[in-house]
Amino acid sequence: MAWQFEHTAKSAAAKERVWSRYVDVANWREWSVEGVEWSRLDGPFEVGATGKSKPPGRLPAGSFRLDAVAPDQMFRSETKLPGARLRFEHVIQPADAGVTITHRAELDGPLTWLWLPPLRKSIEGGVPPGGERLATLAAADQ
């Protein structure tokens, strides 16, 4: 069983402005207010780098690894859970007068059913406002 959730926001920002917000991992909280309490990356923003992020509330901090990075286009992080894998993909695509920003979460593995109840509410509650806030902040950065 796999589960996926995504949200797309439109922004007047240039892709470089959105990207600069992504690579500033220590400040993800500025745009992902409802999704990130704190975050850090242990090294440069490149495939293989590891970090940690704490969602708000009672969920514990989780370690993640960047498993795909295409500057100014997309990045994906992966968190391994016992019996499951949680991936977050962040995609920037050109659009009329700016970009679209798509944030996608995917949970898969044999124990998806166990992890989905506690993670779903946090993801579905945090991803849309985070994407919209990122779109607004990145446009204001220009």
Side-chain angles (χ1 to χ4, degrees):
M1 173 185 162
W3 172 83
Q4 185 173 303
F5 179 79
E6 74 176 53
H7 176 78
T8 298
K10 294 182 179 182
S11 178
K15 62 185 178 183
E16 295 83 6
R17 299 282 56 87
V18 177
W19 188 254
S20 69
R21 293 273 179 171
Y22 284 156
V23 299
D24 187 9
V25 177
N27 290 304
W28 280 354
R29 170 122 176 95
E30 289 179 4
W31 55 268
S32 187
V33 176
E34 296 177 39
V36 176
E37 193 172 294
W38 57 261
S39 52
R40 73 166 195 258
L41 188 65
D42 304 321
F45 200 94
E46 60 188 32
V47 172
T50 59
K52 205 161 191 172
S53 182
K54 165 79 173 79
R58 295 177 19 204
L59 291 172
S63 296
F64 66 87
R65 179 183 170 276
L66 297 179
D67 69 349
V69 175
D72 296 330
Q73 297 174 40
M74 67 81 69
F75 82 93
R76 185 177 62 215
S77 65
E78 176 182 87
T79 297
K80 291 185 178 180
L81 305 165
R85 173 180 61 184
L86 176 63
R87 283 183 164 169
F88 282 100
E89 188 173 71
H90 303 74
V91 180
I92 308 164
Q93 293 179 300
D96 293 336
V99 296
T100 60
I101 301 166
T102 301
H103 291 173
R104 182 177 301 114
E106 181 179 298
L107 181 65
D108 67 2
L111 294 182
T112 294
W113 63 271
L114 178 68
W115 290 101
L116 188 55
L119 294 175
R120 182 180 201 155
K121 183 178 179 181
S122 176
I123 291 168
E124 290 180 354
V127 168
E132 296 297 331
R133 184 162 169 80
L134 174 60
T136 299
L137 290 171
D141 288 344
Q142 303 196 106

